[in-house]
Amino acid sequence: VQLQASGGGLVQAGESLSLSCVVSGGFSLDYYVIGWFRQVPGKEREGVLSISSSGISTYSAEPVKSRFTITRDNAKNTVYLQMNDLKPEDAAVYYCAARKRYVSALHLSAASYEYWGQGTQVTVSS
């Protein structure tokens, strides 16, 4: 299973950015929960948003509620993270990750995710 995150870049505060996570490896995305996480140097990786295997349910961390949205297109094996009204504190390396849908764990628990992408840098200037 391979995950490839892309779409990061430099934006100004208040602007938007869309990240994509393409999953490959010959398996069906239908059986996996996908999460987006972020990390800044010196801090633990934190959960941002996750989406159920069906796409019906999403779970958001409080700091990004109402600003970030996660969607998925299983036919394209791709998950998206739409980030609006970005703030300087949103700057981080963003990672997408996958775990099997039957794993019983907190939705944004990084330790529960089995597969990780390489990360994409998001920089927000004030």
Side-chain angles (χ1 to χ4, degrees), residues 4-11 15-21 36 67-71 78-86 94 120-122:
Q4 179 76 38
S6 63
L10 170 63
V11 297
E15 294 185 338
S16 299
L17 204 58
S18 181
L19 306 183
S20 297
C21 176
W36 281 98
R67 298 190 297 121
F68 290 14
T69 305
I70 186 171
T71 57
T78 303
V79 178
Y80 306 95
L81 180 65
Q82 177 65 40
M83 304 184 292
N84 298 327
D85 189 23
L86 282 159
Y94 282 72
T120 185
Q121 177 73 50
V122 173

Side-chain angles (χ1 to χ4, degrees), residues 77-118:
N77 269 15
T78 303
V79 178
Y80 306 95
L81 180 65
Q82 177 65 40
M83 304 184 292
N84 298 327
D85 189 23
L86 282 159
K87 305 177 185 298
E89 53 265 38
D90 294 320
V93 177
Y94 282 72
Y95 300 88
C96 57
R99 74 181 191 198
K100 296 181 179 67
R101 64 182 183 183
Y102 55 75
V103 171
S104 178
L106 293 176
H107 298 290
L108 296 178
S109 167
S112 70
Y113 285 77
E114 184 175 1
Y115 305 102
W116 290 84
Q118 84 292 355

Side-chain angles (χ1 to χ4, degrees), residues 29-97:
L29 197 57
D30 293 342
Y31 302 104
Y32 287 82
V33 171
I34 304 296
W36 281 98
F37 296 81
R38 64 187 183 186
Q39 189 171 25
V40 298
K43 292 190 176 181
E44 289 188 359
R45 192 167 296 186
E46 65 169 343
V48 178
L49 277 160
S50 70
I51 187 166
S52 63
S53 57
S54 65
I56 293 176
S57 300
T58 63
Y59 306 90
S60 175
E62 194 62 37
V64 304
K65 277 184 178 178
S66 77
R67 298 190 297 121
F68 290 14
T69 305
I70 186 171
T71 57
R72 65 191 292 159
D73 185 339
N74 285 1
K76 295 183 178 179
N77 269 15
T78 303
V79 178
Y80 306 95
L81 180 65
Q82 177 65 40
M83 304 184 292
N84 298 327
D85 189 23
L86 282 159
K87 305 177 185 298
E89 53 265 38
D90 294 320
V93 177
Y94 282 72
Y95 300 88
C96 57

